[in-house]
Amino acid sequence: MNHLFEFLLRQGDNALVLGHRTSEWCGVAPALEEDIALANTALDLIGQTQLWLGYAAEVEGEGRTANDLAFRRDAYDFRNMLMVEVPNEDFGRTLMRQFFFDAFQVPWLDALQTSSDQRVAEIAAKSLKEAKYHIARSAETVIALGDGTEDSNARMQAALAYLWPYTGEVFVDDDVDRAMADQGVAPLPSTLRGQWTATVTETLTNANLVQPESGFAHAGGRSGKRHTEHLGHMLATMQTLQRSYPGAVW
Amino acid sequence: MRPQTAALSEAQVWAWLDDVPDPEIPVISVVDLGVVRDVSVLDTAVTVTITPTYSGCPAMSVIAMDIETALAKQGVTDVQLKTQIAPAWTTDWLSDKGRARLEDYGIAPPQPAGGPTRCPHCHSDAVEKVSQFGSTPCKAQWRCTDCLEPFDYFKCI
């Protein structure tokens, strides 16, 4: 197994799958400003995808491109965490997920800036600026909706209950993580748990939301062993053009 | 197109590039925006290094094409475009000329404090945020509570 390639796929697939999910709001968000914000967030994530998957393709050395990796792999070849592939459901769940993701990405990318791999460090530095901008909005919106009306509070609490079991996967270190840590490419994800929890607890408290106590975590996305049933449906939409007309360009 | 006979200077290429407008905000040039990071000339071959503002900015491919077209008009056809992402683009690289032109155009220039200091239309400091995001990845939406006009703010990153 090429550990660096696997590691890069995880970074790129997280950004790609969340970017596509977020783009599903384009044109149907609850307000024009939110529509634009969601589309811009999705655009940043797709831009980051190009950087991560572009480097992954180079490291693999099989002549594939970022586009090949994005559009011509099936669900079991994806290495994203499960949380980013579940359906948007409503605006509340979408923003709660974005916040959970951002609360991880900010310290994670910050740490990757000092990676022993120069390209990883460069991509992280570029992406971190965008992640910091994202968390300002996602945290603010979680608080506004959680501490909003009875209805918005109930929806955010429901989003929290649904997403919580998906938040733990990223902190479970595996062979790829250990190889990356040994080579100084990335820290062990488990070492970021304390910082993530502190950010999340503070924001949920300010949002008047009750943090679930369960420590149960769904797993299988990062290794590709077991994705949810939702990823295949998402890819069917996202990849339809390249599946129908392989290699199509315009 | 005119034939290129005299030796090219890097300063000349920079000057030409300063006439290439940003495709989304045509009032400033790609040099004002800080997207052009380096120019090097070897005989008649020109290498231009550019960096993206935001990693997903769709204007980048247009900027690359516009640079090639502008240089071709000056008779420079041996152009190599390089993209680099480090150091990451920052609004600190906006030129003073660019900042002034942005405000004249109705876009509040970026401020380290994270928000515009005044309305670009009436110069009142009574401004409020409408949305953290705007019509392009580099802008946010604000409005003036004195003249009531909405305006774009160039995000500070």
Side-chain angles (χ1 to χ4, degrees):
Chain A
M1 183 193 277
N2 182 335
H3 289 122
L4 180 59
F5 177 61
E6 287 287 315
F7 168 83
L8 294 169
L9 284 184
R10 290 176 181 186
Q11 314 314 311
D13 288 346
N14 280 344
L16 173 60
V17 174
L18 184 58
H20 187 81
R21 276 287 184 230
T22 308
S23 79
E24 291 172 357
W25 279 104
C26 196
V28 294
L32 181 61
E33 287 78 10
E34 293 307 331
D35 204 297
I36 291 169
L38 287 159
N40 270 287
T41 305
L43 187 61
D44 286 342
L45 290 167
I46 299 301
Q48 294 168 18
T49 303
Q50 290 174 329
L51 299 174
W52 288 120
L53 293 187
Y55 185 31
E58 280 177 42
V59 166
E60 187 193 32
E62 300 280 339
R64 292 204 280 185
T65 64
N67 278 335
D68 293 332
L69 292 174
F71 296 115
R72 298 175 72 175
R73 279 181 303 151
D74 214 334
Y76 42 77
D77 289 326
F78 272 72
R79 297 290 181 266
N80 57 281
M81 58 173 103
L82 298 174
M83 184 174 73
V84 296
E85 72 195 39
V86 298
N88 293 332
E89 182 68 15
D90 61 10
F91 183 66
R93 190 199 281 177
T94 304
L95 265 296
M96 182 66 82
R97 172 174 57 193
Q98 185 69 44
F99 168 66
F100 284 150
F101 183 74
D102 295 339
F104 177 75
Q105 282 300 91
V106 170
W108 176 245
L109 294 170
D110 188 31
L112 292 186
Q113 288 190 104
T114 53
S115 173
S116 61
D117 184 302
Q118 183 71 21
R119 284 281 291 280
V120 168
E122 291 181 5
I123 298 170
K126 183 78 191 158
S127 306
L128 177 61
K129 287 183 165 230
E130 293 161 2
K132 281 182 174 172
Y133 202 81
H134 294 169
I135 199 172
R137 170 173 171 274
S138 61
E140 196 177 85
T141 312
V142 164
I143 293 169
L145 292 175
D147 193 27
T149 65
E150 203 175 313
D151 180 42
S152 73
N153 176 272
R155 282 172 179 243
M156 292 310 271
Q157 194 64 57
L160 182 52
Y162 180 88
L163 291 171
W164 194 255
Y166 291 103
T167 57
E169 179 188 6
V170 73
F171 300 111
V172 181
D173 304 331
D174 64 10
D175 287 347
V176 174
D177 297 316
R178 282 184 281 273
M180 290 298 99
D182 286 346
Q183 294 167 34
V185 174
L188 286 173
S190 60
T191 60
L192 275 79
R193 183 158 211 154
Q195 205 174 338
W196 182 86
T197 305
T199 307
V200 166
T201 302
E202 188 194 346
T203 300
L204 293 182
T205 303
N206 290 334
N208 208 11
L209 294 168
V210 183
Q211 191 170 317
E213 282 174 18
S214 166
F216 170 76
H218 292 292
R222 300 174 77 233
S223 64
K225 264 188 186 161
R226 197 184 309 109
H227 280 282
T228 68
E229 69 270 33
H230 307 294
L231 181 63
H233 291 276
M234 194 203 91
L235 295 182
T237 306
M238 188 182 90
Q239 299 178 331
T240 183
L241 196 140
Q242 284 298 327
R243 295 296 187 187
S244 307
Y245 305 96
V249 289
W250 65 89
Chain B
M1 195 192 286
R2 66 177 193 216
Q4 195 65 52
T5 46
L8 266 175
S9 75
E10 280 160 13
Q12 176 65 73
V13 176
W14 277 104
W16 286 332
L17 295 179
D18 201 22
D19 282 334
V20 178
D22 174 79
E24 299 276 8
I25 312 168
V27 70
I28 57 172
S29 77
V30 293
V31 173
D32 287 327
L33 189 61
V35 157
V36 180
R37 301 314 306 154
D38 189 53
V39 170
S40 68
V41 174
L42 189 67
D43 297 327
T44 56
V46 175
T47 303
V48 180
T49 305
I50 57 176
T51 195
T53 51
Y54 287 79
S55 55
C57 184
M60 284 313 291
S61 55
V62 180
I63 287 175
M65 201 168 63
D66 288 351
I67 287 175
E68 284 184 338
T69 309
L71 294 180
K73 272 188 192 158
Q74 302 293 346
V76 184
T77 49
D78 188 357
V79 177
Q80 202 198 344
L81 274 167
K82 284 207 270 188
T83 301
Q84 69 177 32
I85 60 165
W89 179 81
T90 160
T91 36
D92 293 347
W93 292 343
L94 271 176
S95 69
D96 289 341
K97 168 167 72 87
R99 294 175 66 91
R101 285 192 180 171
L102 279 177
E103 190 169 33
D104 285 346
Y105 188 62
I107 300 172
Q111 303 294 342
T117 49
R118 61 181 189 179
C119 166
H121 304 297
C122 74
H123 294 178
S124 161
D125 60 3
V127 293
E128 65 180 19
K129 186 173 73 182
V130 177
S131 172
Q132 252 176 310
F133 291 86
S135 55
T136 67
C138 57
K139 289 179 290 186
Q141 296 172 71
W142 285 64
R143 81 177 139 225
C144 175
T145 54
D146 273 341
C147 74
L148 304 180
E149 285 292 326
F151 63 88
D152 279 330
Y153 165 63
F154 207 99
K155 284 151 62 170
C156 184
I157 67 163

